[in-house]
């Protein structure tokens, strides 16, 4: 059985997906820096957890964590080391690859004994790759696999580390917590309702919010909508925004450009509302409604109200 190391940052759907994928490859050893991550690793079938305590590790940019992960990788000698494809995951993986003189694959959307799959050019091309130097070191994209719990009682090994002065070059001066609000996070939500340029104004995005709230979902937006100032940039879905993989994705007034599709094409059920019957989004939608979103969405709201 292959030995798979997984870096588990806090809790969350993405980390749960990486643990699930890792389980399909072999015995999983998770690396956790807090109790939440340890609990997630237990819930998603890790056989072992390195529970790291390192005073001040979060006061600095990724350097201290990268050193700790490198040391653990040297010690464990894994067949594969997986991290979530987040900004932090990729910054860590790059440093691991350099420190270990190892190959690296980023934004992987599938992985098995044969190698890794990556969807490139906004999903227009699929590549199959295998690392030829060292072990399989990869960051895994959100939505690459569905998270499946497999609760267990992993052996927990406490690892105490002192942060080295050499890793204290970039100190984090301030952290600002964004107000969470009542809606689920975009990348975690089971339902995402997104609006595009077709929504037409910031004021009219209230309709998208109302539909999202009625379905218990998050709000997303196309880049055209965020660039036009209809909705904040942090809600952009797509190649240069957030990748989402909900059970239900509703695209209203979105044409379905390849860069948008790159961020939502793994959604389980896609519903498109567009007044142009030839809009490319209909080519990938499971259900399509040709119509004006200002006529269609109020009917969705009405129906959702009735079913409450
Ligand atoms: C490098 C690069 C990266 C990019 N990254 C992203 C990204 O991450 N995410 C992203 O979304 N885009 C991205 N884009 C932009 C992308 O190419 C498209 O321009 C963008 O997705 C279009 O957004 P849209 O579908 O909202 O607008 P449009 O393409 O203008 O489509 C609007 C749609 O609304 C419909 N419509 C209009 N009024 C109504 C109505 N009342 N009712 C129903 N339908 C209506 C129209 O028929 C049309 O289909 C990127 C582009 C580049 C070059």
């Amino acid at each position: 059985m292959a030995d798979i190391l997984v870096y588990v940052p806090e809790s969350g759907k993405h980390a749960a997906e990486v643990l699930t994928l890792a389980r399909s490859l072999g015995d999983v050893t998770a690396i956790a820096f807090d109790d939440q991550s340890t609990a997630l690793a237990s819930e998603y079938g890790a056989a072992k957890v390195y529970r790291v305590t390192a005073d001040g590790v979060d006061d600095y940019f990724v350097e201290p964590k990268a050193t700790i992960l490198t040391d653990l990788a040297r010690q464990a000698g894994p067949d594969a080391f997986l991290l979530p494809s987040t900004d932090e995951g990729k910054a860590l993986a790059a440093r691991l690859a350099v420190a270990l003189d190892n190959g690296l694959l980023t934004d992987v959307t599938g992985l098995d004994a044969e190698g890794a799959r990556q969807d490139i050019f906004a999903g227009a091309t699929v590549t199959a790759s295998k690392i030829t130097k060292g072990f399989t070191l990869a960051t895994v994209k959100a939505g690459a696999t569905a998270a499946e719990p497999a609760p267990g009682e992993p052996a927990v090994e406490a690892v105490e580390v002192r942060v080295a002065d050499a890793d204290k070059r970039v100190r984090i001066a301030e952290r600002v917590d964004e107000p969470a609000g009542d809606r689920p996070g975009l990348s975690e939500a089971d339902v995402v309702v997104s609006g595009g340029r077709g929504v037409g104004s910031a004021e009219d995005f209230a309709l998208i919010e109302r539909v999202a709230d009625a379905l218990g979902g998050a709000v997303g937006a196309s880049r055209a909508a965020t660039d036009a100032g209809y909705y904040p940039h942090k809600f952009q879905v797509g190649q240069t925004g957030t990748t989402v993989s909900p059970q239900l994705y509703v695209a209203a007034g979105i044409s379905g450009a390849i860069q948008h599709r790159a961020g939502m094409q793994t959604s389980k059920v896609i519903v498109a509302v567009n007044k142009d019957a030839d809009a490319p989004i209909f080519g990938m939608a499971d259900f399509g409604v040709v119509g004006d979103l200002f006529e269609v969405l109020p009917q969705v709201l009405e129906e959702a109200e009735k079913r409450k």
Side-chain angles (χ1 to χ4, degrees), residues 141-154:
K141 244 184 149 174
T145 192
E148 278 171 28
E153 294 208 355

Side-chain angles (χ1 to χ4, degrees), residues 13 16-18 20-21 23 44 143-149 245 247 268:
K13 191 174 162 205
E17 290 167 3
V18 181
T20 306
L21 178 65
R23 242 169 44 221
Y44 284 87
T145 192
E148 278 171 28
S245 193
Q247 296 294 313
K268 201 135 200 176

Side-chain angles (χ1 to χ4, degrees), residues 196-198 222-224 236-241 253-257 259-260 273-276 279 291-294:
R197 201 198 308 265
S222 72
R223 178 154 152 186
Q236 182 187 313
V237 171
Q239 185 189 342
T240 44
I254 292 177
S255 60
Q259 296 89 354
H260 187 80
V273 181
N274 198 302
K275 64 183 183 186
D276 174 7
D292 189 320
L293 68 94
F294 296 104

Side-chain angles (χ1 to χ4, degrees), residues 37-116:
S37 312
T38 308
L40 191 83
S42 311
E43 196 187 338
Y44 284 87
K48 180 175 173 180
V49 179
Y50 287 126
R51 172 66 171 91
V52 184
T53 317
D55 265 358
V57 71
D58 289 326
D59 296 342
Y60 300 91
F61 189 53
V62 293
E63 244 84 21
K65 268 193 188 166
T67 301
I68 295 165
L69 297 191
T70 303
D71 290 345
L72 287 173
R74 281 207 179 100
Q75 187 185 314
D79 298 296
F81 191 159
L82 309 185
L83 304 91
S85 256
T86 55
D87 289 346
E88 187 202 34
K90 285 192 263 194
L92 286 169
R95 285 164 174 78
L96 272 163
V98 171
L100 298 168
D101 195 18
N102 201 98
L104 167 63
L105 291 164
T106 55
D107 289 337
V108 159
T109 53
L111 194 63
D112 57 26
E114 301 308 310

